[in-house]
Amino acid sequence: MQNAYQLLRKIGMRSTYSGYHYLATAVDMVLEDPGYLKNVTKNLYAVIGEKYGVSAYCVEAALRTVITNYWNRNEDKILSKLLNYPLFDKPTSSELISILADYLRDCQEP
């Protein structure tokens, strides 16, 4: 989980949002099992919600909020440099989770 938090700090994500912790947890869970990206609301968000004592819809809303605020501040300035490809539109929650998990997975491979 530490790698996910380090990556979020590296891209300039603010930890003051509850969605920050949900995002780190989601990235970590997808690293362990990419199957979580299928039907994210009923699968991934429900597990995260259970862990934090909130509903899956609360997790989804918090993720949208943290991603929207991040995008409004940074757009593609930081992520494109990190990923080495441009993002033309704000990613959805599941897209960003997938992008960040793939990045960490690529960094771990020898």
Side-chain angles (χ1 to χ4, degrees):
M1 180 94 99
Q2 215 41 40
N3 289 339
Y5 279 115
Q6 288 173 346
L7 178 57
L8 293 182
R9 283 191 299 274
K10 184 175 184 176
I11 65 171
M13 191 76 65
R14 291 186 178 168
S15 64
T16 55
Y17 295 96
S18 57
Y20 174 87
H21 302 286
Y22 302 158
L23 183 57
T25 302
V27 169
D28 193 52
M29 289 173 66
V30 168
L31 273 172
E32 294 295 320
D33 182 4
Y36 276 116
L37 288 172
K38 295 181 176 110
N39 198 357
V40 292
T41 301
K42 291 186 179 180
N43 198 3
L44 180 64
Y45 299 165
V47 174
I48 294 169
E50 200 172 292
K51 177 177 179 170
Y52 288 95
V54 297
S55 71
Y57 297 104
C58 186
V59 171
E60 184 176 19
L63 287 172
R64 276 196 316 266
T65 299
V66 74
I67 292 167
T68 298
N69 287 322
Y70 174 80
W71 191 261
N72 288 341
R73 273 193 347 271
N74 300 300
E75 290 184 355
D76 190 33
K77 296 175 202 153
I78 299 172
L79 279 174
S80 63
K81 290 178 186 175
L82 180 74
L83 303 172
N84 291 322
Y85 63 84
L87 295 174
F88 298 107
D89 296 313
K90 177 183 77 167
T92 64
S93 300
S94 58
E95 288 171 339
L96 185 60
I97 292 165
S98 177
I99 288 167
L100 296 176
D102 287 344
Y103 176 82
L104 286 176
R105 193 175 293 113
D106 291 345
C107 289
Q108 292 172 353
E109 291 179 356

